[in-house]
Amino acid sequence: MSRILLIEDHDRLAQLMHQGLVNAGIAVDVVDRIDAAWAAVQQISYQALVLDRGLPDGDGLLLLKKLRNAGLSVPCLVLTARDALHDRVEGLEAGADDYLPKPFAMDEMVARVRALLRRPVEFHSIDPIHGDLRLHTESGVLFSGNESITLAPAELHIMQLLLYKHDEVVRRSALEAAAWGLSEAVTPNALDVALHRLRRKLRAIGSRQRIANVRGMGYALRQADDAK
């Protein structure tokens, strides 16, 4: 299932959009501020963004420019009550892929999001590699040398984040967000179960990489000799 991030501060509109997208088979995380959206995209590889311009902490285009300057090309549909030509041009020049003025029909919004999801995405599109591990994100297969194993969806997102952040310790909350999104209810031990399965799969393919528990901080990939 595709997962997108909706950045909209109008509660009722956000609820309606969320329901319309979920009914179309699209998983949605919802935030209402630029800073929350920036934090979310650091943790989760979204397939598209739906971004309102009028947010409590600034113009949504500030977030879009920040994303593009960071090299993140995740497709983005900009929503706005501003319908002047120069406003649309400003949004497109900031890096928007599409522009939808308010008010709009939910069916049109869903259709535009689906169109974005059909576009090739460069955001985190390169298969991550670290040590003897290579993850083919499209198929969900993890390789170590000539050995390979298929990962479940949550395991795939956890391993993807650990590989991208291999030089850093990743917080537990970030791994949970990557695996299950920001809005899905997660049981307290869901991450522990997923990590247990991942560790077993790493051993099964003979990898020297281990998922180490960095006490009080989070988790990180470590060489077997260094893992604690």
Side-chain angles (χ1 to χ4, degrees):
M1 179 182 289
S2 298
R3 180 175 293 277
I4 73 166
L5 180 65
L6 169 61
I7 307 103
E8 169 61 65
D9 68 317
H10 189 289
D11 289 343
R12 180 57 178 161
L13 179 58
Q15 291 172 10
L16 291 171
M17 294 176 65
H18 178 272
Q19 191 59 54
L21 290 162
V22 169
N23 290 344
I26 301 169
V28 187
D29 290 333
V30 182
V31 296
D32 62 359
R33 301 178 66 88
I34 292 172
D35 55 1
W38 178 252
V41 298
Q42 305 309 301
Q43 301 176 30
I44 301 173
S45 295
Y46 292 104
Q47 282 73 58
L49 306 180
V50 179
L51 173 64
D52 187 25
R53 285 196 62 172
L55 297 169
D57 51 346
D59 188 333
L61 293 188
L62 296 174
L63 171 66
L64 184 55
K65 291 175 182 178
K66 188 174 182 179
L67 290 168
R68 298 305 186 236
N69 289 337
L72 304 182
S73 56
V74 55
C76 181
L77 169 64
V78 171
L79 307 174
T80 183
R82 310 172 189 178
D83 194 24
L85 176 60
H86 72 272
D87 290 317
R88 297 198 298 274
V89 170
E90 184 181 16
L92 294 170
E93 288 186 342
D97 296 89
D98 198 359
Y99 202 91
L100 185 61
K102 298 177 181 179
F104 51 81
M106 287 296 159
D107 287 347
E108 181 181 4
M109 182 274 297
V110 171
R112 287 174 181 259
V113 170
R114 280 177 163 163
L116 289 185
L117 293 174
R118 289 194 292 269
R119 297 184 183 185
V121 182
E122 297 177 9
F123 176 67
H124 280 182
S125 61
I126 300 175
D127 291 338
I129 299 172
H130 177 62
D132 60 359
L133 291 177
R134 176 171 62 87
L135 179 62
H136 188 256
T137 54
E138 185 174 347
S139 65
V141 175
L142 182 65
F143 295 87
S144 178
N146 295 323
E147 300 295 322
S148 65
I149 197 164
T150 301
L151 304 182
E155 298 166 357
L156 169 64
H157 295 307
I158 291 169
M159 182 55 66
Q160 185 179 26
L161 183 57
L162 287 170
L163 285 167
Y164 278 122
K165 302 283 190 178
H166 60 82
D167 289 329
E168 305 173 26
V169 176
V170 184
R171 292 177 290 112
R172 184 182 183 89
S173 59
L175 291 175
E176 289 176 337
W180 296 285
L182 300 176
S183 56
E184 186 173 338
V186 181
T187 58
N189 67 338
L191 180 62
D192 298 315
V193 172
L195 290 173
H196 173 74
R197 291 174 177 166
L198 273 173
R199 286 167 171 145
R200 189 169 59 192
K201 290 183 176 183
L202 286 173
R203 291 193 295 271
I205 58 176
S207 174
R208 290 182 53 78
Q209 297 295 317
R210 297 290 182 266
I211 301 173
N213 184 349
V214 183
R215 190 176 299 277
M217 298 178 64
Y219 300 87
L221 284 177
R222 296 285 187 263
Q223 284 276 14
D225 293 343
D226 299 329
K228 303 297 182 183

Short mmCIF file of all heavy atoms in Angstrom, two decimals, residues 135-172:
data_model
loop_
_atom_site.label_atom_id
_atom_site.label_comp_id
_atom_site.label_asym_id
_atom_site.label_seq_id
_atom_site.Cartn_x
_atom_site.Cartn_y
_atom_site.Cartn_z
N LEU A 135 19.94 -3.92 0.03
CA LEU A 135 18.50 -4.07 0.09
C LEU A 135 17.87 -3.64 -1.22
O LEU A 135 18.05 -2.50 -1.66
CB LEU A 135 17.93 -3.22 1.24
CG LEU A 135 16.42 -3.25 1.43
CD1 LEU A 135 15.95 -4.66 1.77
CD2 LEU A 135 16.00 -2.27 2.53
N HIS A 136 17.15 -4.56 -1.86
CA HIS A 136 16.40 -4.21 -3.07
C HIS A 136 15.01 -3.80 -2.62
O HIS A 136 14.17 -4.65 -2.29
CB HIS A 136 16.35 -5.40 -4.03
CG HIS A 136 15.77 -5.05 -5.36
ND1 HIS A 136 14.49 -5.40 -5.73
CD2 HIS A 136 16.28 -4.35 -6.41
CE1 HIS A 136 14.24 -4.95 -6.94
NE2 HIS A 136 15.31 -4.31 -7.38
N THR A 137 14.79 -2.48 -2.57
CA THR A 137 13.58 -1.97 -1.94
C THR A 137 12.31 -2.33 -2.71
O THR A 137 11.25 -2.54 -2.10
CB THR A 137 13.67 -0.44 -1.77
OG1 THR A 137 13.97 0.15 -3.03
CG2 THR A 137 14.76 -0.09 -0.78
N GLU A 138 12.41 -2.41 -4.03
CA GLU A 138 11.20 -2.67 -4.82
C GLU A 138 10.66 -4.07 -4.56
O GLU A 138 9.44 -4.27 -4.45
CB GLU A 138 11.49 -2.49 -6.31
CG GLU A 138 10.26 -2.63 -7.18
CD GLU A 138 10.54 -2.29 -8.64
OE1 GLU A 138 11.61 -1.71 -8.93
OE2 GLU A 138 9.69 -2.61 -9.47
N SER A 139 11.54 -5.05 -4.44
CA SER A 139 11.10 -6.43 -4.22
C SER A 139 11.07 -6.81 -2.75
O SER A 139 10.49 -7.84 -2.38
CB SER A 139 12.02 -7.39 -4.97
OG SER A 139 13.34 -7.34 -4.43
N GLY A 140 11.73 -6.00 -1.89
CA GLY A 140 11.79 -6.33 -0.47
C GLY A 140 12.75 -7.46 -0.15
O GLY A 140 12.60 -8.13 0.86
N VAL A 141 13.76 -7.64 -0.99
CA VAL A 141 14.73 -8.72 -0.79
C VAL A 141 16.03 -8.14 -0.25
O VAL A 141 16.57 -7.16 -0.79
CB VAL A 141 15.00 -9.49 -2.10
CG1 VAL A 141 16.09 -10.53 -1.91
CG2 VAL A 141 13.71 -10.14 -2.60
N LEU A 142 16.56 -8.76 0.80
CA LEU A 142 17.82 -8.35 1.42
C LEU A 142 18.91 -9.34 1.01
O LEU A 142 18.73 -10.56 1.14
CB LEU A 142 17.68 -8.33 2.95
CG LEU A 142 18.89 -7.89 3.75
CD1 LEU A 142 19.22 -6.42 3.48
CD2 LEU A 142 18.65 -8.11 5.24
N PHE A 143 20.03 -8.81 0.51
CA PHE A 143 21.12 -9.63 0.02
C PHE A 143 22.35 -9.49 0.91
O PHE A 143 22.64 -8.42 1.43
CB PHE A 143 21.53 -9.20 -1.40
CG PHE A 143 20.49 -9.42 -2.45
CD1 PHE A 143 19.52 -8.46 -2.69
CD2 PHE A 143 20.47 -10.58 -3.20
CE1 PHE A 143 18.54 -8.65 -3.66
CE2 PHE A 143 19.51 -10.79 -4.18
CZ PHE A 143 18.54 -9.82 -4.40
N SER A 144 23.06 -10.61 1.08
CA SER A 144 24.39 -10.62 1.66
C SER A 144 25.22 -11.56 0.81
O SER A 144 25.04 -12.78 0.86
CB SER A 144 24.38 -11.09 3.12
OG SER A 144 25.70 -11.13 3.63
N GLY A 145 26.09 -10.99 -0.02
CA GLY A 145 26.81 -11.82 -0.97
C GLY A 145 25.85 -12.49 -1.92
O GLY A 145 24.99 -11.83 -2.52
N ASN A 146 25.95 -13.82 -2.05
CA ASN A 146 25.05 -14.57 -2.93
C ASN A 146 23.79 -15.06 -2.23
O ASN A 146 22.94 -15.70 -2.85
CB ASN A 146 25.80 -15.78 -3.52
CG ASN A 146 26.93 -15.36 -4.44
OD1 ASN A 146 26.81 -14.38 -5.17
ND2 ASN A 146 28.03 -16.10 -4.40
N GLU A 147 23.68 -14.77 -0.95
CA GLU A 147 22.51 -15.21 -0.19
C GLU A 147 21.47 -14.08 -0.12
O GLU A 147 21.83 -12.90 -0.13
CB GLU A 147 22.91 -15.61 1.23
CG GLU A 147 23.92 -16.75 1.29
CD GLU A 147 23.36 -18.05 0.74
OE1 GLU A 147 22.16 -18.32 0.98
OE2 GLU A 147 24.10 -18.79 0.07
N SER A 148 20.22 -14.46 -0.05
CA SER A 148 19.16 -13.44 0.01
C SER A 148 17.97 -13.98 0.81
O SER A 148 17.82 -15.20 0.97
CB SER A 148 18.70 -13.05 -1.40
OG SER A 148 18.08 -14.15 -2.05
N ILE A 149 17.15 -13.04 1.27
CA ILE A 149 15.95 -13.40 2.01
C ILE A 149 14.92 -12.29 1.83
O ILE A 149 15.28 -11.12 1.69
CB ILE A 149 16.27 -13.63 3.50
CG1 ILE A 149 15.15 -14.41 4.20
CG2 ILE A 149 16.55 -12.32 4.22
CD1 ILE A 149 15.57 -15.00 5.53
N THR A 150 13.65 -12.67 1.79
CA THR A 150 12.57 -11.70 1.61
C THR A 150 12.12 -11.16 2.97
O THR A 150 11.96 -11.92 3.93
CB THR A 150 11.37 -12.35 0.89
OG1 THR A 150 11.80 -12.83 -0.39
CG2 THR A 150 10.25 -11.34 0.69
N LEU A 151 11.92 -9.85 3.01
CA LEU A 151 11.49 -9.20 4.25
C LEU A 151 10.00 -8.88 4.19
O LEU A 151 9.47 -8.53 3.13
CB LEU A 151 12.27 -7.90 4.46
CG LEU A 151 13.80 -8.00 4.49
CD1 LEU A 151 14.41 -6.63 4.77
CD2 LEU A 151 14.27 -9.01 5.52
N ALA A 152 9.35 -8.97 5.34
CA ALA A 152 7.97 -8.51 5.47
C ALA A 152 7.97 -6.98 5.38
O ALA A 152 9.01 -6.34 5.60
CB ALA A 152 7.38 -8.97 6.80
N PRO A 153 6.81 -6.36 5.06
CA PRO A 153 6.79 -4.90 4.88
C PRO A 153 7.38 -4.11 6.04
O PRO A 153 8.20 -3.20 5.83
CB PRO A 153 5.30 -4.60 4.69
CG PRO A 153 4.76 -5.84 4.06
CD PRO A 153 5.52 -6.97 4.71
N ALA A 154 7.01 -4.41 7.28
CA ALA A 154 7.55 -3.67 8.42
C ALA A 154 9.06 -3.88 8.53
O ALA A 154 9.82 -2.95 8.80
CB ALA A 154 6.86 -4.09 9.72
N GLU A 155 9.51 -5.12 8.32
CA GLU A 155 10.94 -5.42 8.36
C GLU A 155 11.69 -4.65 7.28
O GLU A 155 12.80 -4.13 7.52
CB GLU A 155 11.17 -6.92 8.17
CG GLU A 155 10.56 -7.79 9.25
CD GLU A 155 10.50 -9.25 8.86
OE1 GLU A 155 10.88 -9.60 7.71
OE2 GLU A 155 10.05 -10.06 9.69
N LEU A 156 11.10 -4.55 6.10
CA LEU A 156 11.71 -3.82 4.99
C LEU A 156 11.94 -2.36 5.37
O LEU A 156 13.03 -1.82 5.17
CB LEU A 156 10.81 -3.91 3.76
CG LEU A 156 11.15 -3.00 2.58
CD1 LEU A 156 12.51 -3.32 2.00
CD2 LEU A 156 10.07 -3.09 1.51
N HIS A 157 10.93 -1.70 5.93
CA HIS A 157 11.05 -0.29 6.26
C HIS A 157 12.06 -0.06 7.40
O HIS A 157 12.78 0.94 7.41
CB HIS A 157 9.69 0.29 6.62
CG HIS A 157 8.72 0.28 5.48
ND1 HIS A 157 9.01 0.83 4.25
CD2 HIS A 157 7.46 -0.23 5.36
CE1 HIS A 157 7.98 0.69 3.44
NE2 HIS A 157 7.04 0.04 4.09
N ILE A 158 12.09 -0.98 8.36
CA ILE A 158 13.07 -0.87 9.45
C ILE A 158 14.48 -1.01 8.91
O ILE A 158 15.37 -0.21 9.22
CB ILE A 158 12.78 -1.93 10.53
CG1 ILE A 158 11.48 -1.61 11.26
CG2 ILE A 158 13.95 -2.03 11.51
CD1 ILE A 158 10.98 -2.72 12.14
N MET A 159 14.70 -2.04 8.09
CA MET A 159 16.05 -2.26 7.54
C MET A 159 16.46 -1.13 6.61
O MET A 159 17.63 -0.71 6.61
CB MET A 159 16.08 -3.60 6.80
CG MET A 159 17.45 -3.96 6.23
SD MET A 159 18.78 -3.94 7.47
CE MET A 159 18.26 -5.31 8.52
N GLN A 160 15.51 -0.60 5.85
CA GLN A 160 15.81 0.51 4.96
C GLN A 160 16.34 1.71 5.76
O GLN A 160 17.35 2.32 5.39
CB GLN A 160 14.55 0.89 4.19
CG GLN A 160 14.76 1.96 3.12
CD GLN A 160 13.48 2.26 2.37
OE1 GLN A 160 12.38 2.07 2.89
NE2 GLN A 160 13.61 2.72 1.14
N LEU A 161 15.66 2.03 6.85
CA LEU A 161 16.09 3.17 7.66
C LEU A 161 17.44 2.90 8.32
O LEU A 161 18.33 3.78 8.35
CB LEU A 161 15.04 3.49 8.72
CG LEU A 161 15.31 4.70 9.61
CD1 LEU A 161 15.51 5.96 8.77
CD2 LEU A 161 14.18 4.92 10.61
N LEU A 162 17.64 1.70 8.84
CA LEU A 162 18.92 1.36 9.47
C LEU A 162 20.07 1.44 8.47
O LEU A 162 21.17 1.90 8.81
CB LEU A 162 18.86 -0.03 10.09
CG LEU A 162 18.02 -0.18 11.36
CD1 LEU A 162 17.85 -1.65 11.71
CD2 LEU A 162 18.66 0.57 12.53
N LEU A 163 19.82 1.02 7.24
CA LEU A 163 20.87 1.08 6.22
C LEU A 163 21.16 2.51 5.81
O LEU A 163 22.32 2.89 5.63
CB LEU A 163 20.46 0.25 5.00
CG LEU A 163 20.56 -1.27 5.18
CD1 LEU A 163 19.83 -1.99 4.05
CD2 LEU A 163 22.02 -1.71 5.22
N TYR A 164 20.14 3.32 5.64
CA TYR A 164 20.36 4.72 5.27
C TYR A 164 21.08 5.48 6.38
O TYR A 164 21.87 6.39 6.12
CB TYR A 164 19.05 5.41 4.94
CG TYR A 164 18.55 5.15 3.54
CD1 TYR A 164 17.30 4.59 3.33
CD2 TYR A 164 19.32 5.47 2.43
CE1 TYR A 164 16.83 4.35 2.04
CE2 TYR A 164 18.87 5.22 1.15
CZ TYR A 164 17.62 4.66 0.96
OH TYR A 164 17.17 4.42 -0.31
N LYS A 165 20.80 5.11 7.63
CA LYS A 165 21.38 5.81 8.78
C LYS A 165 22.49 4.98 9.42
O LYS A 165 22.71 5.07 10.63
CB LYS A 165 20.28 6.05 9.83
CG LYS A 165 19.10 6.86 9.33
CD LYS A 165 19.42 8.33 9.25
CE LYS A 165 18.17 9.15 8.97
NZ LYS A 165 18.44 10.60 8.93
N HIS A 166 23.21 4.23 8.62
CA HIS A 166 24.14 3.23 9.19
C HIS A 166 25.22 3.85 10.07
O HIS A 166 25.78 3.15 10.92
CB HIS A 166 24.78 2.40 8.08
CG HIS A 166 25.57 3.22 7.09
ND1 HIS A 166 26.87 3.61 7.33
CD2 HIS A 166 25.23 3.70 5.87
CE1 HIS A 166 27.30 4.30 6.28
NE2 HIS A 166 26.34 4.37 5.38
N ASP A 167 25.51 5.11 9.90
CA ASP A 167 26.52 5.75 10.74
C ASP A 167 25.91 6.37 12.00
O ASP A 167 26.62 6.96 12.80
CB ASP A 167 27.26 6.84 9.96
CG ASP A 167 28.17 6.26 8.89
OD1 ASP A 167 28.69 5.14 9.12
OD2 ASP A 167 28.34 6.89 7.84
N GLU A 168 24.61 6.24 12.15
CA GLU A 168 23.92 6.89 13.26
C GLU A 168 23.12 5.87 14.08
O GLU A 168 22.77 4.81 13.59
CB GLU A 168 22.95 7.95 12.74
CG GLU A 168 23.58 8.99 11.82
CD GLU A 168 22.55 9.90 11.21
OE1 GLU A 168 21.47 10.07 11.82
OE2 GLU A 168 22.80 10.43 10.11
N VAL A 169 22.84 6.24 15.31
CA VAL A 169 21.92 5.46 16.14
C VAL A 169 20.51 5.96 15.83
O VAL A 169 20.26 7.17 15.82
CB VAL A 169 22.23 5.64 17.64
CG1 VAL A 169 21.19 4.89 18.49
CG2 VAL A 169 23.64 5.13 17.94
N VAL A 170 19.60 5.03 15.56
CA VAL A 170 18.23 5.38 15.20
C VAL A 170 17.32 5.14 16.40
O VAL A 170 17.32 4.05 16.98
CB VAL A 170 17.74 4.55 14.00
CG1 VAL A 170 16.33 4.99 13.59
CG2 VAL A 170 18.70 4.68 12.83
N ARG A 171 16.56 6.14 16.77
CA ARG A 171 15.67 6.04 17.92
C ARG A 171 14.56 5.01 17.68
O ARG A 171 14.13 4.79 16.56
CB ARG A 171 15.05 7.40 18.24
CG ARG A 171 16.04 8.42 18.76
CD ARG A 171 15.39 9.77 18.98
NE ARG A 171 15.04 10.41 17.72
CZ ARG A 171 13.80 10.61 17.29
NH1 ARG A 171 12.77 10.22 18.03
NH2 ARG A 171 13.57 11.21 16.15
N ARG A 172 14.10 4.43 18.77
CA ARG A 172 13.02 3.45 18.69
C ARG A 172 11.78 4.04 18.03
O ARG A 172 11.15 3.40 17.17
CB ARG A 172 12.70 2.97 20.11
CG ARG A 172 11.65 1.87 20.17
CD ARG A 172 11.33 1.47 21.60
NE ARG A 172 10.38 0.36 21.61
CZ ARG A 172 10.71 -0.92 21.59
NH1 ARG A 172 11.99 -1.27 21.59
NH2 ARG A 172 9.79 -1.87 21.59
#
